[in-house]
Amino acid sequence: MKTVTLIGKPGCHLCDVARDVIVRVCAEEGATWEEKDINNDQELYRAYWEQIPVVLVDGAQHDFWRVDPERLRKALRA
């Protein structure tokens, strides 16, 4: 089972949109997902602050800013 991680922050509209896509696609594909607040982790902040929301699949960067549902489905099926 694959795990999707959303890295974002509160009040981020793009993060809200990405979360909606991730929740829907993970439910369809049987994957798990988690969310990390970039404000609570200095390492994540340094790595991704200009790219949020950032999506990881099993720890590897998959996407940033916008999440394409079909591309995410393909990554979860691989």
Side-chain angles (χ1 to χ4, degrees):
M1 180 183 300
K2 300 211 179 215
T3 300
V4 177
T5 304
L6 171 61
I7 301 170
K9 67 178 184 177
C12 168
H13 171 71
L14 289 177
C15 299
D16 295 339
V17 172
R19 185 182 308 103
D20 290 343
V21 171
I22 291 167
V23 168
R24 185 177 71 245
V25 172
C26 284
E28 292 169 1
E29 298 298 324
T32 60
W33 76 279
E34 62 184 1
E35 188 166 357
K36 295 186 178 182
D37 184 342
I38 200 166
N39 294 317
N40 295 332
D41 186 317
Q42 288 298 322
E43 186 176 325
L44 292 177
Y45 186 87
R46 280 192 294 276
Y48 299 119
W49 75 273
E50 291 183 329
Q51 298 177 330
I52 63 168
V54 174
V55 178
L56 311 177
V57 175
D58 287 342
Q61 187 169 343
H62 170 75
D63 241 330
F64 62 96
W65 293 333
R66 305 241 184 240
V67 181
D68 180 285
E70 196 54 41
R71 186 169 179 272
L72 182 56
R73 278 185 195 94
K74 288 178 184 175
L76 294 177
R77 291 176 184 166

